[in-house]
Amino acid sequence: MSLIVNPFDRSDLFLETKHHAIVAEAISRADGEKPFKRYIDAWWLALCIGVRKDHRVKLSGDTTKFNDGGIFSSDPWRIIHLQLLGLSWLGSTALDHPTQIIQLSSEYVNGGIEWIVDTIHGQPNRTLAIYNRISEFESS
């Protein structure tokens, strides 16, 4: 079994404070009407949406730390994906700058989190709301 080194383990992960509480309401390990089991799952979906829409928004000064990069070790594929994104954003030296990769990722997350918040706000079944709206990202 090969091991993947986590270069992001000392990086803090943040959400805008205004979004943190809304995301918290969409997290449950057992409720099928809540789409996320962990904050990192919401963060990751927001990252994917931000990248897909090519929408980056710098974090304001009003943020809430929800975890650190050590969480990526529980899903090593996320480490590889972040490194690949870093290479596409920063070029061949990206792997030497994990902090910069997390910073850019956080900006894409912040660009995608609005989509999640808009989608789940006021919805009784937030999971279904996301499934119904995700089709807007399908390529034609």
Side-chain angles (χ1 to χ4, degrees):
M1 179 174 149
S2 63
L3 298 176
I4 296 175
V5 175
N6 183 357
F8 309 108
D9 63 347
R10 294 191 177 137
S11 299
D12 290 333
L13 302 177
F14 296 94
L15 288 172
E16 293 274 350
T17 300
K18 66 183 180 182
H19 298 137
H20 187 268
I22 296 167
V23 171
E25 292 174 3
I27 294 174
S28 173
R29 293 189 180 271
D31 183 353
E33 294 179 359
K34 294 185 179 180
F36 307 111
K37 289 185 178 183
R38 306 172 295 171
Y39 279 99
I40 192 64
D41 301 322
W43 190 89
W44 197 264
L45 178 60
L47 171 65
C48 293
I49 291 167
V51 168
R52 178 70 168 96
K53 293 174 76 171
D54 194 23
H55 186 57
R56 279 177 42 199
V57 177
K58 290 192 184 270
L59 291 170
S60 73
D62 189 14
T63 58
T64 301
K65 177 183 171 183
F66 69 89
N67 213 323
D68 60 48
I71 189 71
F72 298 129
S73 295
S74 64
D75 300 313
W77 58 269
R78 294 184 202 256
I79 297 167
I80 295 166
H81 287 193
L82 285 171
Q83 289 173 322
L84 290 170
L85 285 170
L87 288 169
S88 72
W89 297 329
L90 304 170
S92 61
T93 63
L95 302 184
D96 297 329
H97 306 284
T99 303
Q100 202 170 359
I101 293 172
I102 291 297
Q103 178 185 346
L104 287 168
S105 296
S106 295
E107 291 175 8
Y108 278 105
V109 167
N110 205 31
I113 199 77
E114 284 288 339
W115 183 94
I116 293 172
V117 168
D118 290 345
T119 301
I120 64 175
H121 181 71
Q123 296 296 319
N125 188 326
R126 296 173 187 108
T127 302
L128 185 59
I130 289 174
Y131 283 141
N132 286 337
R133 191 166 174 214
I134 205 83
S135 64
E136 69 188 54
F137 296 108
E138 294 176 1
S139 15
S140 40

